[in-house]
Amino acid sequence: MSHRRHDWTVDRQLDQELVKACRRGDEEAWVVLWRRYGPLVKSVSRRIGCDSEEARDVLQRVALVALEKLDSLRDPKKLAPWLAGIARFQSFEIIRERRPAALLQEDTAVSNPRYDDEMVRTEDLARLRQAFAQLEERCQRLLQRLMLKEPPDSYQDVARDENLSATSIGPIRLRCMKRLGKLIEKLSRSGS
Amino acid sequence: MDHLTEAHIIDLIEGEGPSEAEAHLAECSQCRSAQRLWQERIESLREMSRESLDDAELHRLRVLYRQLGPGKDQAPRWIARLVRSSAAAPAAARGVASGEIMEYSAGPYTLMLRVGAQGSRSTVSVIGQIATNDRDRGIGGTFALTPPNGRVRLSDVDQFGEFNLPEVAPGSYRGTWWFGDQIMVVHDVEIGTDDEP
């Protein structure tokens, strides 16, 4: 089996639709959900101190918990912070199980002081990912290619593929960034 | 100079800003904090981009969903059955008291669960081992105990098949072992304490 990495961006199905589809047994929706939020889960885990192997284990654990508890998620719009919260908890649990000395206190995750600090950062990260998923598809594609890809694609290549003039790429990129900022603010206000 | 626009700030982050904007930034804390915010956002998105899932990860998640998801046409999975208990009564009819051993069988695997005493009276530890005689099959993965309502408890299963779940509250659970494409499910795991009648 190849180990091609999947484009984690460029899909706009609403979280609530994804959750509904997963609940009724739609396997493809489940895959879309993880393509979208798997990187968020792994990032949360890496920030807390898990190595790449542990982050993969956290992903599996979070998926298992999500599968077991998806029906209990009352507000599917809060899928991203919900998954990020499970990831945070499971990351601390894995570190506690495998490398207890890595934590300042050999306590459960919930009573560890770092847990509270990470909560805020995890919520920010979840909101950012959620906002990105709500951008128009073209914005997602553009930002992915111009700002996230390492190294980024050239304006000329992007312009050609998008059927745009090269001079319009800069202003469109800026509009997309502003839109992202507004979506983040909106999600912050709504408490997601 | 007025405060920098978002356009200037984003250009600066990308190394494309004019020199006047850079000079303003050096003197203006408000613009610096706006720049920091955008820098963090972009770096966080890059970080997530680097953590994109590969085929193997998505395949494992797909298998998990096929096995445990709500679909009606699920692939077959091993449902473990109780083959031995150190207590006389059937498992579903009583709580598993501290020290008792339950042995389950599913496909080529056996699962042993033992409930150990815990410091606190209200919880116990569940110690388990998964074994197989089939040398072609590996051992590892994750074991989960899922209550009908409440927090799912998970533990790594080591290369010897052993796992340990501390601080498990008494109650009725579903046990799930997951290792690559292999999944074993144990229904009606009743966890009790010595205090129960």
Side-chain angles (χ1 to χ4, degrees):
Chain A
M1 180 182 290
S2 77
H3 287 264
R4 181 170 61 91
R5 290 211 171 266
H6 291 268
D7 188 355
W8 66 296
T9 60
V10 195
D11 69 78
R12 285 200 74 211
Q13 203 173 354
L14 292 172
D15 282 356
Q16 47 269 47
E17 289 170 7
L18 272 184
V19 169
K20 205 188 282 181
C22 290
R23 282 173 178 164
R24 64 165 187 265
D26 183 338
E27 187 180 309
E28 290 315 309
W30 175 253
V31 172
V32 170
L33 186 153
W34 288 105
R35 206 173 278 168
R36 181 182 295 177
Y37 289 123
L40 167 68
V41 165
K42 286 167 74 183
S43 287
V44 167
S45 158
R46 296 302 296 269
R47 283 180 175 208
I48 285 169
C50 292
D51 62 26
S52 62
E53 197 51 45
E54 287 167 339
R56 287 170 86 103
D57 290 347
V58 167
L59 175 72
Q60 294 197 1
R61 284 177 169 220
V62 174
L64 186 61
V65 175
L67 198 50
E68 299 278 6
K69 297 288 169 192
L70 203 57
D71 284 338
S72 68
L73 175 62
R74 268 172 290 187
D75 184 358
K77 283 185 203 153
K78 295 189 174 165
L79 175 66
W82 183 66
L83 291 173
I86 300 171
R88 185 179 60 241
F89 184 86
Q90 292 299 337
S91 301
F92 276 109
E93 285 287 280
I94 275 198
I95 291 175
R96 187 175 62 87
E97 284 166 21
R98 298 182 187 177
R99 300 180 275 124
L103 291 179
L104 292 174
Q105 292 183 352
E106 291 188 15
D107 261 332
T108 56
V110 281
S111 59
N112 189 293
R114 273 186 60 200
Y115 194 74
D116 292 335
D117 299 340
E118 289 300 337
M119 192 178 294
V120 178
R121 296 175 64 198
T122 302
E123 282 169 4
D124 288 345
L125 202 60
R127 211 173 284 131
L128 178 62
R129 180 62 191 101
Q130 200 176 0
F132 197 95
Q134 290 178 12
L135 283 173
E136 295 75 12
E137 277 186 38
R138 189 171 73 172
C139 274
Q140 293 190 30
R141 277 197 307 272
L142 249 66
L143 294 183
Q144 165 68 18
R145 293 185 64 180
L146 295 169
M147 302 192 82
L148 310 185
K149 203 172 161 194
E150 296 167 304
D153 288 336
S154 70
Y155 276 24
Q156 286 74 16
D157 286 350
V158 174
R160 189 194 56 232
D161 296 344
E162 295 289 336
N163 242 345
L164 295 164
S165 71
T167 51
S168 64
I169 295 294
I172 294 175
R173 183 194 67 160
L174 182 63
R175 277 204 295 277
C176 293
M177 296 293 282
K178 281 184 172 170
R179 175 94 185 109
L180 180 67
K182 287 210 171 77
L183 283 166
I184 294 169
E185 278 169 32
K186 193 173 151 199
L187 288 169
S188 303
R189 279 199 304 274
S190 70
S192 258
Chain B
M1 186 178 180
D2 291 336
H3 286 304
L4 297 178
T5 62
E6 251 175 340
H8 280 137
I9 286 171
I10 291 163
D11 281 345
L12 279 173
I13 291 169
E14 295 296 292
E16 297 166 5
S19 54
E20 310 89 77
E22 272 186 59
H24 174 81
L25 200 63
E27 291 168 5
C28 177
S29 62
Q30 193 179 324
C31 289
R32 274 202 305 277
S33 94
Q35 185 208 27
R36 216 170 17 248
L37 180 67
W38 272 108
Q39 224 157 10
E40 277 169 14
R41 284 173 178 170
I42 293 167
E43 193 36 55
S44 296
L45 285 169
R46 282 189 184 137
E47 193 181 304
M48 284 191 270
S49 196
R50 284 192 289 267
E51 298 292 348
S52 296
L53 307 198
D54 62 29
D55 284 339
E57 287 173 306
L58 280 176
H59 175 71
R60 278 198 293 273
L61 295 170
R62 199 183 272 277
V63 169
L64 179 74
Y65 188 78
R66 275 183 203 158
Q67 302 281 16
L68 295 175
K72 291 197 172 105
D73 302 320
Q74 291 166 355
R77 63 190 184 215
W78 290 315
I79 306 293
R81 62 191 172 83
L82 184 69
V83 292
R84 186 170 69 90
S85 165
S86 61
R94 49 119 188 91
V96 178
S98 173
E100 289 181 3
I101 294 174
M102 315 294 296
E103 185 177 329
Y104 298 87
S105 169
Y109 290 99
T110 56
L111 163 70
M112 293 225 279
L113 290 180
R114 186 164 63 82
V115 177
Q118 188 92 11
S120 134
R121 280 167 62 95
S122 58
T123 62
V124 294
S125 65
V126 175
I127 300 127
Q129 184 166 30
I130 293 162
T132 181
N133 289 326
D134 186 344
R135 287 182 183 177
D136 293 335
R137 294 183 186 272
I139 300 273
T142 306
F143 185 83
L145 276 181
T146 310
N149 293 302
R151 185 153 67 89
V152 181
R153 301 301 313 275
L154 296 121
S155 170
D156 287 342
V157 176
D158 69 17
Q159 57 179 319
F160 307 108
E162 293 174 354
F163 60 89
N164 186 359
L165 290 158
E167 295 167 15
V168 177
S172 180
Y173 292 83
R174 183 172 79 178
T176 309
W177 171 60
W178 181 30
F179 180 51
D181 290 2
Q182 305 176 93
I183 290 185
M184 182 204 296
V185 177
V186 195
H187 291 295
D188 301 323
V189 179
E190 298 288 333
I191 305 292
T193 69
D194 284 333
D195 300 336
E196 289 189 353

